[in-house]
Amino acid sequence: MKGHEAAQILKSPFKRFCCNFSKYKSLVFMMLPLTIIIFVNSYLPMPGLIMAFKNVNYYDGIFKSPNVGMANFEFLFNSGDALKITLNTLYYSIIFIVLNLTVAIIMALGLNELRGKYKRKIYQTLFIMPYFLSMIVISYLVYAFLSPDKGFINQTILKFFNIESVNWYSTPNAWPIILPIVNMWKMVGYNSVIYLAALAGIDGTLYEAAVIDGASKWQQIRFITMPCIKTYIVVMILLSMGNIMHSDFGLFYQVPMNAGSLFSTTNVIDTYVYRALSTLNNVGMSTAAGLYQSLVGFILVISANLAVRKIDADSALF
Amino acid sequence: MAKAKKYRFNEVSPVTSVILNISFTLFAVFCAAPLVLVVMSAFSSEQSLVNNGYSFFPSEFSLDAFKFLFSKPASILRAYGVSIGITALGACVSVLLMMMYAYPLSRQDFPFKKFFTFFVLFTMMFHPGLAPKYLVYTSILQIRDNFLAVLIPLLTNGFYLFVIRTFYKATIPPTLIEAAKIDGCGELRIFFKIVVPCSLPVIGTMGLFMTLAYWNDWMNYMLFISDKTMFNLQYLMQRVLNDARYLAENGSAISASAAAGAPTSGMQMALVVLGVGPLLFAYPFFQRYFVQGLTVGSVKG
């Protein structure tokens, strides 16, 4: 074995590659199918990014369409669209991170203290259930509550208090509150399971020692639990900060029912990219907005990861 | 046994326990309520829906909405078929292919590990965006209105790949593979005879995640499928809600009954019940794998 490796180092890089390849060719062939799929899904589209700098028309074809330089970006930023969708995206991302984190941690702490294995399981089953529903189903569930003429809120709750019914699907100001609630409803069980796993990893003897020293439950949470999962929480926040430019397309497209009157508060970058492509049929603009999102997102992921590596090298992506 | 004792020793006070249970029950109600509302609406008569709207306690129950949906079941049954077929095929193929990609990455001695890891990692950091991707599927591969267009986009997921790799790193000792090699096993045989049987837990977890991804997919149908006979259940539901006329256009029997006061609002909710049904019944049985998968995923290596 040793002699073989020494011989390899002496060879030229190309020969070494060939030698390695022939030795491991069956492993490489095993990876081939998915390599092709990944290439098609993520690498083949990259040359298409050139459309961001072109005025695409199907007569000339994509690569022969006239170059317009930065015009697509100029239009995007001068029209104010870019600012609006960026602010919307950032607003929702930050609210989601804060809300989901706090609720999930409180929930995990509570579940951890709960006596009775079955009770805990039943609660958990109910909390995770929303995660299994598709955004289409969720949009129906929300519609059952918010429908202007038949919705539960208008027909039952508001009627009960004698308040005039509200047409939620044309009230943009309500959605910055509705969407975080919907998102929390969907994600909280899922997130609490993750934190519950982190809590399970804490050394039980720490608590025993604390109890002997006369620590109350609150003191245990404050001085043992929180410090123990602090790194973990920071890592989770940083990793989600890296994804701050991306949002759940379904949540912002399906749940507000694609209602035009709600665009001022529900249009995020992802929905803007889709609408520019499908309804405005402006391929150049759609690509430009997508490229803007990808580049900013790329920088954020890299910096978030650098930060994570400083705090806890094992949790870093690379 | 010892653990149970320790817990009793550091137990929350009875008052706190009651408060915890009450708040968790309330939250459980908050989680389940929307679904209960939809199920109740699906089983209420159209008249009570018109009078009282969607309600937790409808004034009158009826099966009209379901009867109506099954009076011309072709489009729903077909959508069910598409959903089940694509989900089964997609989940199996994607789990197998991901395992075949992740296993070499977990091998310490695999010389191209760095390259293939970066190949995946980069796709997790940089997304080319919707428009170029759309272009690849429609112009280069030309798979519009082809089931490949809904299969290929979901086949791979960088995060899951790393979860599987981490699993292999933790569970399959290099000595086991070495021993098999000495016994004269080829790489493929090692994979199928030793690695695959060892990876049942990860197959369960990833199978569940991929089933979920394919069953709940609608976006790829929205982008690439325009043939009504190829819709899956989720996308059919979206179309029904977004334009109530859609079903009417779909068959003369339905449009005739639509004119005679079809239970449209109840029907939408009945369709949701049909769409959620199978998954929700199966879910409590698979929850274990789900929780397991989340836990594996949170321990990165």
Side-chain angles (χ1 to χ4, degrees):
Chain A
M1 205 58 187
K2 280 259 159 69
H4 181 71
E5 267 165 24
Q8 263 197 11
I9 291 164
L10 292 176
K11 280 182 199 159
S12 72
F14 177 73
K15 270 192 179 155
R16 201 159 72 211
F17 173 82
C18 290
C19 175
N20 275 334
F21 185 81
S22 66
K23 193 171 161 207
Y24 287 100
K25 63 174 179 294
S26 34
L27 285 183
V28 174
F29 279 124
M30 253 167 75
M31 300 176 91
L32 203 58
L34 208 67
T35 309
I36 294 169
I37 303 274
I38 294 172
F39 178 75
V40 165
N41 274 337
S42 303
Y43 290 90
L44 202 55
M46 278 179 196
L49 285 172
I50 203 168
M51 293 188 298
F53 306 97
K54 282 175 181 289
N55 181 10
V56 178
N57 62 65
Y58 291 103
Y59 181 74
D60 291 329
I62 292 144
F63 292 100
K64 284 184 185 142
S65 292
N67 272 320
V68 291
M70 300 300 280
N72 283 324
F73 290 95
E74 272 163 30
F75 185 77
L76 185 69
F77 285 94
N78 288 341
S79 66
D81 283 354
L83 184 69
K84 207 170 74 186
I85 55 176
T86 308
L87 284 181
N88 276 346
T89 310
L90 292 180
Y91 165 80
Y92 285 111
S93 295
I94 290 170
I95 291 272
F96 290 172
I97 292 174
V98 173
L99 193 68
N100 290 354
L101 186 88
T102 4
V103 181
I105 289 179
I106 293 174
M107 196 94 90
L109 287 173
L111 281 173
N112 203 35
E113 294 301 334
L114 212 62
R115 300 292 147 253
K117 213 173 125 201
Y118 289 103
K119 248 194 275 170
R120 193 157 142 187
K121 216 167 194 174
I122 292 171
Y123 285 137
Q124 225 178 46
T125 308
L126 282 166
F127 294 164
I128 303 176
M129 185 202 64
Y131 184 78
F132 280 70
L133 305 176
S134 79
M135 270 303 163
I136 308 275
V137 170
I138 292 175
S139 76
Y140 272 82
L141 300 186
V142 173
Y143 183 76
F145 278 91
L146 298 183
S147 150
D149 57 333
K150 297 196 184 65
F152 181 73
I153 291 188
N154 277 350
Q155 280 288 328
T156 310
I157 297 180
L158 293 186
K159 223 181 212 176
F160 183 77
F161 291 110
N162 267 325
I163 303 172
E164 212 167 299
S165 61
V166 181
N167 191 350
W168 298 102
Y169 290 93
S170 53
T171 314
N173 289 337
W175 290 86
I177 299 164
I178 296 171
L179 289 175
I181 294 176
V182 174
N183 183 266
M184 185 192 79
W185 177 78
K186 184 179 184 191
M187 298 304 293
V188 124
Y190 176 94
N191 288 328
S192 70
V193 171
I194 296 180
Y195 286 108
L196 210 54
L199 291 185
I202 300 176
D203 186 1
T205 52
L206 289 175
Y207 292 104
E208 269 175 50
V211 172
I212 290 168
D213 285 348
S216 71
K217 265 278 128 114
W218 285 116
Q219 283 169 328
Q220 287 176 37
I221 290 175
R222 221 184 121 202
F223 296 111
I224 300 176
T225 315
M226 288 326 254
C228 278
I229 58 171
K230 199 179 75 195
T231 3
Y232 194 73
I233 295 174
V234 172
V235 167
M236 292 295 275
I237 294 177
L238 283 172
L239 287 180
S240 34
M241 290 296 265
N243 269 325
I244 213 166
M245 287 294 274
H246 295 268
S247 36
D248 183 348
F249 176 78
L251 181 67
F252 293 94
Y253 184 80
Q254 295 294 355
V255 178
M257 300 277 173
N258 196 16
S261 51
L262 301 179
F263 283 180
S264 61
T265 55
T266 61
N267 211 4
V268 290
I269 303 176
D270 288 276
T271 51
Y272 183 87
V273 168
Y274 174 73
R275 286 184 188 124
L277 184 70
S278 71
T279 41
L280 305 179
N281 226 333
N282 191 340
V283 184
M285 188 81 144
S286 171
T287 318
L291 184 58
Y292 156 65
Q293 181 190 30
S294 306
L295 284 181
V296 179
F298 185 66
I299 294 165
L300 284 174
V301 172
I302 300 272
S303 22
N305 203 68
L306 281 177
V308 169
R309 210 156 49 177
K310 280 243 163 79
I311 294 165
D312 177 22
D314 287 340
S315 308
L317 260 174
F318 50 88
Chain B
M1 226 27 219
K3 212 167 193 181
K5 242 183 197 156
K6 188 179 80 200
Y7 269 107
R8 208 161 291 141
F9 143 80
N10 188 14
E11 199 172 44
V12 286
S13 68
V15 183
T16 322
S17 175
V18 170
I19 295 173
L20 270 181
N21 272 306
I22 291 176
S23 29
F24 278 132
T25 312
L26 285 180
F27 201 85
V29 169
F30 170 67
C31 282
L35 213 59
V36 174
L37 180 65
V38 163
V39 173
M40 283 308 192
S41 309
F43 285 103
S44 40
S45 72
E46 191 65 14
Q47 193 54 46
S48 77
L49 286 182
V50 169
N51 292 340
N52 306 326
Y54 301 120
S55 155
F56 286 100
F57 307 103
S59 51
E60 194 187 345
F61 284 97
S62 112
L63 286 172
D64 282 354
F66 288 96
K67 273 185 200 147
F68 176 74
L69 279 180
F70 283 105
S71 64
K72 196 165 183 294
S75 65
I76 292 172
L77 289 182
R78 205 184 293 119
Y80 248 109
V82 171
S83 273
I84 293 171
I86 293 289
T87 304
L89 185 69
C92 292
V93 172
S94 69
V95 172
L96 181 69
L97 291 189
M98 284 202 289
M99 277 171 21
M100 282 162 64
Y101 194 92
Y103 163 66
L105 288 188
S106 77
R107 285 268 298 264
Q108 283 300 326
D109 57 331
F110 185 57
F112 310 115
K113 205 168 52 182
K114 270 210 173 126
F115 168 77
F116 282 106
T117 307
F118 180 78
F119 192 68
V120 179
L121 211 51
F122 189 71
T123 67
M124 293 166 77
M125 298 188 293
F126 187 82
H127 313 272
L130 186 68
K133 201 166 175 173
Y134 181 78
L135 198 84
V136 165
Y137 282 102
T138 53
S139 314
I140 299 180
L141 302 178
Q142 301 201 334
I143 46 176
R144 266 202 99 114
D145 276 333
N146 184 326
F147 281 129
L148 281 176
V150 294
L151 276 171
I152 295 178
L154 295 178
L155 271 180
T156 167
N157 177 319
F159 183 70
Y160 296 165
L161 269 175
F162 285 120
V163 169
I164 304 177
R165 184 201 63 173
T166 309
F167 174 85
Y168 282 148
K169 263 190 178 166
T171 50
I172 296 174
T175 43
L176 184 67
I177 290 159
E178 206 108 306
K181 263 191 198 157
I182 290 167
D183 287 346
C185 246
E187 292 287 5
L188 281 177
R189 204 157 148 204
I190 291 178
F191 178 71
F192 284 106
K193 294 272 167 178
I194 297 173
V195 176
V196 171
C198 280
S199 44
L200 285 181
V202 89
I203 292 178
T205 307
M206 288 304 134
L208 179 67
F209 277 108
M210 292 321 294
T211 305
L212 209 60
Y214 276 105
W215 182 268
N216 282 342
D217 179 36
W218 49 272
M219 187 158 181
N220 293 312
Y221 289 84
M222 186 167 91
L223 288 172
F224 304 118
I225 305 288
S226 51
D227 181 353
K228 283 168 193 161
T229 59
M230 293 167 75
F231 289 169
N232 75 343
L233 206 53
Q234 307 295 330
Y235 192 52
L236 185 78
M237 276 188 328
Q238 196 232 4
R239 294 293 288 255
V240 171
L241 189 65
N242 279 12
D243 50 17
R245 279 171 308 168
Y246 173 71
L247 262 189
E249 287 162 11
N250 229 5
S252 53
I254 289 175
S255 64
S257 53
T264 41
S265 24
M267 185 194 68
Q268 289 170 351
M269 297 302 153
L271 200 55
V272 176
V273 173
L274 289 180
V276 182
L279 202 70
L280 216 58
F281 280 120
Y283 151 62
F285 300 101
F286 293 107
Q287 198 205 345
R288 189 164 59 94
Y289 289 114
F290 184 72
V291 173
Q292 227 169 43
L294 285 178
T295 324
V296 172
S298 62
V299 188
K300 231 193 119 275

